[in-house]
Amino acid sequence: QVQLVESGGGLVQPGGSLRLSCAASGFYLSNYPMNWYRQTPGKEREWVATISSHGDSASYADSVKGRFTISRENAKNMLYLQMNRLEPEDTAVYYCRVAGGPVSRPLDFWGQGTKVTVSS
């Protein structure tokens, strides 16, 4: 079955960096664009970034553009989010999501999330 497992969250000081990982299984990662979202208590889940199925294009929310980089290693079934120059406003639970894909097997699944806290 489809599984997405995030890791790499933690406590970091403002200005610091973290790299989140998402391990995918149960589907051919190379067939699907992948996404990162985040959510803080009391707010709706917010889209952060998307990467194309082969990693040749990416898009970002304005709030993270220039600081975050989404990437993937299809051969390892892994998705990443490199987060630099972190700000307290980046504190959230971060989720990876597979959505869309080929007509023969469209998917829409979320991971369980990994918590990022940016605080001094």
Side-chain angles (χ1 to χ4, degrees):
Q1 69 277 23
V2 173
Q3 276 196 315
L4 298 170
V5 180
E6 301 94 335
S7 60
L11 174 64
V12 62
Q13 292 188 340
S17 298
L18 276 178
R19 188 173 86 151
L20 306 184
S21 299
C22 174
S25 61
F27 63 103
Y28 288 109
L29 185 63
S30 59
N31 287 347
Y32 296 85
M34 294 294 294
N35 311 274
W36 285 100
Y37 285 74
R38 66 186 182 185
Q39 189 170 25
T40 55
K43 290 189 175 181
E44 290 190 3
R45 200 165 289 188
E46 172 191 23
W47 170 74
V48 173
T50 296
I51 188 167
S52 60
S53 57
H54 294 290
D56 51 347
S57 66
S59 56
Y60 300 90
D62 287 344
S63 57
V64 307
K65 201 173 293 183
R67 300 188 298 120
F68 291 11
T69 302
I70 188 172
S71 63
R72 61 194 298 161
E73 288 189 88
N74 287 341
K76 295 183 178 180
N77 293 320
M78 295 296 296
L79 173 73
Y80 306 101
L81 185 67
Q82 177 67 43
M83 307 186 295
N84 298 329
R85 304 201 316 270
L86 283 160
E87 304 168 353
E89 293 73 23
D90 296 317
T91 296
V93 177
Y94 285 73
Y95 300 86
C96 63
R97 179 190 185 193
V98 56
V103 173
S104 57
R105 194 189 182 198
L107 296 176
D108 192 352
F109 284 87
W110 297 83
Q112 85 290 347
T114 186
K115 187 173 182 180
V116 172
T117 302
V118 184
S119 175
S120 54

